[in-house]
Amino acid sequence: MELAKAYDPKSAEESHYKRWEESGFFAPEINEDPDAKPYSIVIPPPNVTGSLHMGHALQHTIMDVLTRWKRMQGYRTLWLPGTDHAGISVQRKVVEQLRKDENKSPLDIGREEFLRRCWVWKEQYGNTITEQMRREGASVDWSRHRFTMDESLSLAVRNVFCTLYEEGWIYRGLRIVNWCPKDKTVLSDLEVKEETRKDGKLTYLRYPIVGTDRTLTVATTRPETMLGDTAVAVNPSDERYKDLVGKMVALPLTGREILIVADEYVEAEFGTGAVKVTPAHDPNDYQIGERHGLEQLLIMNDDGTMNAAAGVEFDGLDRFAAREKVVAMFDELGLLEKVEDYEITLPICERCKTIVEPILSEQWFVKMDEMRDLALGLMESEGAPHFSPQVPHEKVYTSWLENLKDWTISRQLWWGHQIPAWYDTDGNVYVARTADEAREKAGGSELRQDSDVLDTWFSSGLWAFSTFGWNGAVTETNDLDTYLPTDVLVTGRDIIFLWVSRMMMLTKKFADKTAFRDCVITGTVLGKDGKPMSKSRNNGVDPIEMFDKFGVDATRIYLASIATGADIKWNDNGVETYRNFANKIWNATRFSLLNSEGAKIDHSSLMADALPLADRWIISRLNQTALDLNKALGKYEFHSAVSMLYHFFWDDFCDWYIELKKDEINAGDVEATTRILTILEIALRMLHPFMPYLTEELWLKLPGTSSELNNPAYSKADASIMLTKFPPGDALALNGSAESEMNAVIEVIKKVRNIRSEMNISPSIKFTVHIAAERDLQDVMEANKAQILKLARAENLVISDSLDVPKASAKAVVAGNASLAVPLEGLIDFDKERTRLNNQINKLAEEKSRLDAQLSNQNFVERAPAEKVDALRERQSELAHQMNTLNNNLEALN
RNA sequence: GCCGUCUUAGCUCAGUGGUAGAGCACUCGCUUCACACGCGAUAGGUCACAAGUUCAAAUCUUGUAGACGGCACCA
């Protein structure tokens, strides 16, 4: 069978995924071993509004590498996929669609119809990302695909909510919350980001003091909130204002009189030392208000416009217009002291970037005291989750938990899990699992359900166990029993608090298990400009484009080559490197197949006695690589795994082993070809988790592959590399003497090549190589004569105890007190050879002087480990010997 | 304000107290019958800076500078 000259990823990508999926290879049920240990991962469910970005591609690659690796090891492996309903995102898309297509608002069509449209939207667009995951080669069990608003998962949400309410962990209360006037919903602290603006203003307003002609100046960044002031506060020990405490100020523009109170919160040194107090629009003012029994005057509507309480002149005015108007009116009244430039940090809505308004509102909250203790307890007792990399994430995670505030879980949206709480006409609340249950509790009064839905992260927080069938009504399933705790969670830093922590808490609370033992935190893939990829920066790189340009496998293994947790600037170059690597693998296979008549995969062929050096060497290297590879993967060190695969395959297997075996292969040596094919087959297995398409494509072409090579756990399944046994590596197959002998051969070849290149001798000119060495090494050289001749492009090899060559020779030293020479009568340039020898001598001299200094240091000799000292001494004497030889060579030229 | 990360070759990045590494780019040579997405040979580093610990520091400690992240505050 002849392969094309270059690897074309497209055809491989198109043919294998469907077969794998349809054959049930991704489902854990493919494993027939009743004693197989489980291995499970749940995917961080991407938003149904999302499409694949590089962060997904990175995380999915890591999850798939782990899944394929464990599956090949014979674990009952499950990678569970799914999607998140993404409350605000979907709602916004549907609202926008409605406005554009029909010029209607959600209120025009009503809740029921709006929700129907959301479902239609989800059905239509919600599987973009799942289709893209198929292209990625993600070996997820599609039969277990979950959506956060599936019936069972929704039931789980209602049951969890009710239980937490009954136990007092969920409450409804009036608090200052983060309000997004554009989305018209409350947001949790984590959904609010900060933006520093240099063009902020600090406005100083004068409030006249009643019964005097004095004024009191307050400073504010939000002048419009003065319309809701119900007090002015000063520090109790502030001498300037001591006599004013208890007096009233006449609040301009409102006709109201408000009290001057003393409160420790106020810092005398900051600003004017007097603070306007707006309890309904500021969290600190709210606290002051509580302490002093102040009125909470709400002056804004949910869209950020002022309401009637702000006064007729302001009613309906946008908050920023109101701000200007307040300042202008103070100015007119002569009460505007000054306006200063002020750098200000504003809270903004993470999604729509609108400035968030702190506002007093009645919402649902989860009390975090016990939740926090659950998560901290798991960290303390089990060290769970164990973060990779551990620094800095473990500390950030625990210190965040230690300072946790209550979680606002209600959202003023329609798309999501509607809060299972009902109100009677008197405003009494009945939390119940169903409307019937609520009616029963209410004793027949007329009820209406809370119109809010729950924070999307509330349902995601249940993901680790709700996806395995837990819904509160059903609390025991095979999957829960088998796959929980999951083994590892792979995600980004940005959702450690939003999701990771909550999943740990809620899984412990309701399934009484650890959600996952390990947590791999990936870094951020940055744009070429070094900044996070974003639409506004237009620096995004589309994974699909990379797949098209370089292939899925090249993109995957490049992503895996990034150090775990490290951020990386995207560069196409990196992917190109692995595109080339894929082509190298393709061509190595192509070569192996060219002369493969009569040969086939045969693992026993590697066990045969008296194999040639190159074979003993590559088998040792192969096993070392397999051992190191498994170790690296076990520690989530994907980058070092990739690096060792790359160098084993390219350097050891292609550059040396194949080149050394070429003559045998071309001569039709069936045994040699069998070994090459067998080693290649094992190498492909090791590469499979990273490069599933290429390896499957090639593996199926190898002679002798069949389901008999499958891991016994999959013996009844069709043949596929993804079901073979992952090479564990065998420490007994390591062969130190073969490695050192091979290294000697390699060194000889490299030295001769160096002579040819430095002396500008054309590759077409064949010459004789003389080697002088001790007896053992002579035998090695003799046994590998043909290989040395071929790779050094020489026609003759003379091996002896000492060099006997004409003056016109180029010489070099090799390890083991050996030396070599190439007679170059008529070709040698003596000046060049002198320079070449001098360069070598200088290099050795540099190393030797460092060693001499170190070894003459009495402290080092006495205190460093003896074997270290011995090794350096040995190297020192070798260097001396080599320098001596080279100096003699140099003299001989004169 | 508190906590933390990063700074290594021209570029992008590995590096685990013991002789500084890779890929790409650069230079030189090669239509060697798997691969020019290739092969061979070079060159390229004050490991940000300073001090300390140590026989020995890119690696541990402290400080400085620059880049960045998280949290808190923000009248």
Side-chain angles (χ1 to χ4, degrees), chain A residues 44 53-64 79 136 490-495 520-523 559:
Chain A
H53 58 62
M54 214 41 97
H56 293 125
L58 169 61
Q59 289 167 13
H60 295 169
T61 295
I62 287 171
M63 285 183 261
D64 199 42
W79 179 15
E136 289 182 299
V490 180
T491 190
R493 298 188 262 278
D494 51 335
I495 55 175
V520 173
I521 301 296
T522 59
L559 289 167

Side-chain angles (χ1 to χ4, degrees), chain A residues 368-419:
Chain A
M368 292 313 277
D369 301 351
E370 292 88 351
M371 287 283 187
R372 172 191 52 226
D373 292 345
L374 285 176
L376 286 174
L378 283 170
M379 182 56 85
E380 211 168 297
S381 62
E382 302 178 31
H386 178 267
F387 287 97
S388 291
Q390 191 169 14
V391 178
H393 299 115
E394 184 174 309
K395 197 173 164 190
V396 170
Y397 174 78
T398 49
S399 57
W400 179 77
L401 285 172
E402 281 157 5
N403 301 298
L404 201 48
K405 288 196 272 180
D406 287 358
W407 172 18
T408 315
I409 51 170
S410 42
R411 294 291 181 277
Q412 286 65 50
L413 304 172
W414 283 350
W415 175 244
H417 300 101
Q418 193 169 358
I419 291 177

Side-chain angles (χ1 to χ4, degrees), chain A residues 395-466:
Chain A
K395 197 173 164 190
V396 170
Y397 174 78
T398 49
S399 57
W400 179 77
L401 285 172
E402 281 157 5
N403 301 298
L404 201 48
K405 288 196 272 180
D406 287 358
W407 172 18
T408 315
I409 51 170
S410 42
R411 294 291 181 277
Q412 286 65 50
L413 304 172
W414 283 350
W415 175 244
H417 300 101
Q418 193 169 358
I419 291 177
W422 283 261
Y423 304 94
D424 63 19
T425 43
D426 298 330
N428 296 311
V429 61
Y430 305 93
V431 169
R433 283 157 180 82
T434 62
D436 284 344
E437 194 185 315
R439 267 190 290 275
E440 202 175 302
K441 281 186 178 176
S445 336
E446 194 175 320
L447 297 177
R448 78 181 161 78
Q449 188 173 358
D450 195 310
S451 60
D452 290 353
V453 299
L454 288 164
D455 182 3
T456 294
W457 296 104
F458 191 89
S459 54
S460 334
L462 316 182
W463 188 251
F465 56 103
S466 64

Side-chain angles (χ1 to χ4, degrees), chain A residues 442-658:
Chain A
S445 336
E446 194 175 320
L447 297 177
R448 78 181 161 78
Q449 188 173 358
D450 195 310
S451 60
D452 290 353
V453 299
L454 288 164
D455 182 3
T456 294
W457 296 104
F458 191 89
S459 54
S460 334
L462 316 182
W463 188 251
F465 56 103
S466 64
T467 51
F468 293 134
W470 189 100
N471 60 22
V474 176
T475 56
E476 284 176 40
T477 67
N478 269 336
D479 277 9
L480 275 171
D481 194 40
T482 310
Y483 301 114
L484 192 68
T486 62
D487 288 85
V488 57
L489 185 81
V490 180
T491 190
R493 298 188 262 278
D494 51 335
I495 55 175
I496 292 177
F497 304 149
L498 282 165
W499 190 50
V500 172
S501 65
R502 286 155 184 176
M503 210 159 34
M504 290 304 285
M505 297 164 181
L506 289 162
T507 308
K508 182 63 186 170
K509 170 76 177 160
F510 287 94
D512 195 25
K513 281 189 182 178
T514 310
F516 36 87
R517 297 187 182 92
D518 294 344
C519 185
V520 173
I521 301 296
T522 59
T524 309
V525 184
L526 306 170
K528 287 168 188 162
D529 56 358
K531 302 237 165 69
M533 292 185 186
S534 74
K535 284 194 187 100
S536 57
R537 283 196 201 87
N538 196 28
N539 61 347
V541 179
D542 182 359
I544 303 295
E545 276 177 32
M546 288 301 122
F547 294 167
D548 290 341
K549 192 168 172 193
F550 298 112
V552 171
D553 290 323
T555 311
R556 284 173 57 117
I557 194 167
Y558 168 64
L559 289 167
S561 78
I562 300 167
T564 309
D567 291 351
I568 187 148
K569 267 186 243 186
W570 183 264
N571 58 332
D572 284 10
N573 236 328
V575 195
E576 198 179 344
T577 296
Y578 290 100
R579 188 274 312 260
N580 296 350
F581 183 46
N583 192 55
K584 190 73 180 175
I585 296 166
W586 175 268
N587 271 290
T589 308
R590 177 167 180 255
F591 171 78
S592 304
L593 290 173
L594 277 177
N595 298 289
S596 63
E597 204 171 322
K600 67 178 177 64
I601 310 298
D602 177 7
H603 289 268
S604 69
S605 71
L606 305 185
M607 306 295 184
D609 293 329
L611 290 175
L613 175 60
D615 293 83
R616 283 181 280 131
W617 170 77
I618 197 71
I619 289 164
S620 183
R621 296 292 313 131
L622 178 72
N623 280 281
Q624 186 70 61
T625 304
L627 287 168
D628 294 346
L629 178 61
N630 280 288
K631 211 167 160 189
L633 288 174
K635 291 190 287 184
Y636 305 113
E637 289 171 1
F638 305 97
H639 60 294
S640 58
V642 170
S643 166
M644 57 185 81
L645 282 169
Y646 184 91
H647 292 291
F648 169 74
F649 199 91
W650 202 309
D651 301 349
D652 295 344
F653 184 68
C654 291
D655 284 353
W656 290 106
Y657 184 65
I658 286 185

